[in-house]
Amino acid sequence: MEIFSNRLKSLRKELGISAKALGEKIGVSDASIINWENNVYDIKGEYIIRLAKFFGVSADYLLGIED
């Protein structure tokens, strides 16, 4: 899920929000955010939805299905 990892990191940096702050907004640890960005762990669908809502993008965009 390299596309997801890149898009997550890019969106977070565009907003200028830390991994810790993002984690607090969606209910996970900053370590989870960093692990997703580094493609260490797979993400559950529930958190993809939370991230999509937070960033105002579609889950399909985050997953690389659409641009």
Side-chain angles (χ1 to χ4, degrees), residues 9-26:
K9 185 180 263 185
S10 177
L11 287 167
R12 183 177 64 78
K13 290 191 178 209
E14 282 177 26
L15 279 184
I17 188 170
S18 68
K20 181 175 179 156
L22 178 57
E24 288 172 356
K25 296 283 186 186
I26 68 161

Side-chain angles (χ1 to χ4, degrees), residues 1-2 4 7 10 15 17 22-23 25-26 31 40-42 44 47-48 50 52-55 63 65:
M1 294 200 5
E2 187 173 338
F4 170 80
R7 288 189 175 175
S10 177
L15 279 184
I17 188 170
L22 178 57
K25 296 283 186 186
I26 68 161
V40 175
Y41 295 123
D42 288 335
K44 292 182 180 180
Y47 296 115
I48 293 171
R50 289 182 190 186
K53 287 180 180 179
F54 177 81
F55 287 117
L63 295 171
I65 296 169

Side-chain angles (χ1 to χ4, degrees), residues 1-8 36-37 39 62-63:
M1 294 200 5
E2 187 173 338
I3 291 173
F4 170 80
S5 299
N6 291 336
R7 288 189 175 175
L8 173 58
W36 295 336
E37 288 182 353
N39 205 21
L62 284 173
L63 295 171

